[in-house]
Every structure is written in structure tokens, then in C-alpha cells.
């Protein structure tokens, strides 16, 4: 009675020896395919921390602007974003926006008021979004339990590099409270990486649905 049992166990062991590596390999390949190759750097430029990031993306220039336009309904793709409010739209290419970000303890929420100007190339295959500080001011209620981020400046760009789209971002800002440099660098690196990963995941969903 013991022999058949031994044979069965042996077969199961052999099966697991072959199947487990295949499953592990499959999961590893899947994870590798889903992870984008993101280049992110945090640099001290004349005493101000500047973020630079880029990656290849499935999003076209038009699709990226559609993503930006959808942020008042859902800003979840921006890491730690709590809300986006369209304050003013002077023309088709300009937006005045208020964005609120959740900050890690013990810091208060970050409130940013920005002006965005959208510029397409003639064929609308490439786009640049210039972000600067808005002339609008937050209300006292908006500033409750929040820190106003000052002098925001940035550039989003979707461009064609060969036959591939590339998404890039360069930006910087000041907060009116002191944040240790090591913590600020870690937060900037993490939030930028997470944001780009979220954009990449959305681009895959759009590509699957097309």
C-alpha cells in the first residue's frame, strides 16, 4: 500500500518542480512588462530642488491633454492628489487650476494655484504644457490646514522620439515651511515615480480599449 502512495507523491513533486518555475517566470515577465522604464532625477538648481522625469508612453499628445482635462473629475493618477478645481478658463489653451495634495504626517496638505498654457505643434502630434504660478489667490477657507506652495513652475511635454511617444516633465516649487532636504528629495522622487507609473498604467488601458 505504501508504494503507490510514494509514486503519487513523487509525481506531484515532479509536477511542482516543473510548474512552479514556470509560474514564477510568468509572474516575473508579467511584472516586468507592466513596469515602465522611468528616468527620474532630483537636482539642486541654485538652491531650489528641481524634478526631471521622462518615459516612453502609449499616450498621444491629444490623449495626454484629455487626461489633464479630466483631472477635476478624477485626479487619482497624480500621486497623493486630493482634488483639482478648474478656477478659470480664459481661452481654449489656458487654465487656472487649484490642486490639493495630501502630505505625509506631520505636514499639512499642499495647496497649489497654477496657470497652464497648452501649445500643440502644427500637426498636433506633439504638445507642451507650460505651468506657472497663478495670479489668483486662495481663500482663507482654502488655506485651512494647508500650506500654500509658492512659485510653482513646470513643463509637461509629449514628443515623438523616432516612432515612440515620450512623456517628460521638469518642475520646481517652494513651500512656505521648512522641510528637511532628505525628506523633500525622497517625497519628490516617490511622488514623481508613482505619478508616471499611474500614467503608464492608464495608457495601457487606453491601448487595450482602442
Amino acid at each position: 500500500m505504501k508504494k503507490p502512495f510514494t509514486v503519487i507523491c513523487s509525481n506531484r513533486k515532479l509536477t511542482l518542480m516543473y510548474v512552479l518555475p514556470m509560474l514564477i517566470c510568468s509572474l516575473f515577465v508579467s511584472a516586468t512588462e507592466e513596469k515602465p522604464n522611468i528616468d527620474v532625477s532630483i537636482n539642486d538648481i541654485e538652491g531650489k530642488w528641481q524634478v526631471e522625469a521622462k518615459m516612453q508612453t502609449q499616450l498621444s499628445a491629444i490623449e495626454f491633454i484629455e487626461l489633464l482635462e479630466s483631472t477635476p473629475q478624477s485626479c487619482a493618477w497624480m500621486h497623493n492628489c486630493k482634488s483639482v478645481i478648474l478656477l478659470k478658463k480664459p481661452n481654449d489653451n489656458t487654465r487656472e487650476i487649484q490642486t490639493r495634495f495630501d502630505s505625509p504626517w506631520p505636514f499639512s496638505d499642499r495647496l497649489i494655484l497654477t496657470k497652464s498654457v497648452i501649445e500643440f505643434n502644427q500637426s498636433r502630434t506633439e504638445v507642451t504644457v507650460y505651468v506657472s504660478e497663478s495670479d489668483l489667490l486662495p481663500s482663507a477657507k482654502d488655506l485651512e490646514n494647508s500650506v500654500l506652495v509658492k512659485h510653482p513652475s513646470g513643463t509637461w511635454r509629449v514628443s515623438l522620439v523616432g516612432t515612440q511617444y515620450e512623456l517628460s516633465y521638469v518642475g520646481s516649487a517652494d513651500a512656505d515651511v521648512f522641510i528637511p532636504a532628505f525628506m523633500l528629495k525622497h517625497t519628490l522622487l516617490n511622488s514623481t515615480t508613482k505619478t508616471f507609473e499611474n500614467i503608464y498604467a492608464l495608457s495601457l488601458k487606453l491601448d487595450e480599449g482602442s
Side-chain angles (χ1 to χ4, degrees):
M1 295 297 294
K2 293 182 179 180
K3 189 172 181 181
F5 180 76
T6 306
V7 172
I8 291 170
C9 285
S10 178
N11 287 339
R12 285 178 178 173
K13 288 179 180 179
L14 286 171
T15 302
L16 288 172
M17 286 175 62
Y18 284 104
V19 171
L20 279 177
M22 290 175 66
L23 287 172
I24 293 168
C25 183
S26 175
L27 290 171
F28 177 79
V29 170
S30 176
T32 303
E33 290 174 350
E34 295 299 316
K35 282 286 185 179
N37 183 19
I38 305 170
D39 293 327
V40 184
S41 61
I42 313 295
N43 304 300
D44 186 350
I45 308 296
E46 298 180 354
K48 181 180 289 189
W49 294 108
Q50 180 173 283
V51 180
E52 296 184 23
K54 65 180 179 180
M55 71 173 179
Q56 288 190 346
T57 178
Q58 303 291 332
L59 287 180
S60 66
I62 292 174
E63 288 171 335
F64 178 67
I65 296 304
E66 289 174 349
L67 175 62
L68 294 184
E69 297 281 62
S70 71
T71 51
Q73 289 76 48
S74 175
C75 65
W77 61 271
M78 288 192 290
H79 187 60
N80 284 339
C81 180
K82 297 181 75 172
S83 66
V84 171
I85 300 173
L86 177 62
L87 301 174
K88 192 176 178 181
K89 187 178 177 180
N91 54 59
D92 289 341
N93 296 326
T94 307
R95 311 283 186 275
E96 303 269 359
I97 298 167
Q98 176 182 287
T99 308
R100 186 182 299 275
F101 289 96
D102 185 26
S103 291
W105 185 90
F107 302 108
S108 302
D109 288 353
R110 294 294 184 264
L111 191 70
I112 309 176
L113 273 68
T114 55
K115 176 182 178 180
S116 298
V117 179
I118 303 166
E119 290 187 5
F120 281 97
N121 67 346
Q122 191 171 3
S123 61
R124 298 178 72 82
T125 56
E126 301 189 357
V127 68
T128 303
V129 181
Y130 299 100
V131 181
S132 59
E133 189 170 32
S134 173
D135 292 329
L136 302 177
L137 296 174
S139 66
K141 185 177 180 180
D142 288 333
L143 284 174
E144 289 180 2
N145 302 315
S146 301
V147 170
L148 181 64
V149 176
K150 299 179 179 179
H151 313 304
S153 175
T155 303
W156 287 96
R157 182 174 283 113
V158 175
S159 53
L160 279 169
V161 179
T163 58
Q164 297 287 326
Y165 285 110
E166 182 179 85
L167 173 67
S168 64
Y169 174 75
V170 178
S172 62
D174 297 327
D176 60 2
V177 295
F178 173 74
I179 301 176
F182 77 92
M183 184 176 292
L184 181 59
K185 287 181 70 175
H186 172 76
T187 301
L188 288 172
L189 183 64
N190 182 61
S191 61
T192 303
T193 302
K194 292 289 186 183
T195 295
F196 269 65
E197 286 177 349
N198 292 339
I199 294 173
Y200 182 82
L202 285 172
S203 73
L204 292 181
K205 290 181 180 179
L206 287 172
D207 192 49
E208 289 172 0
S210 61

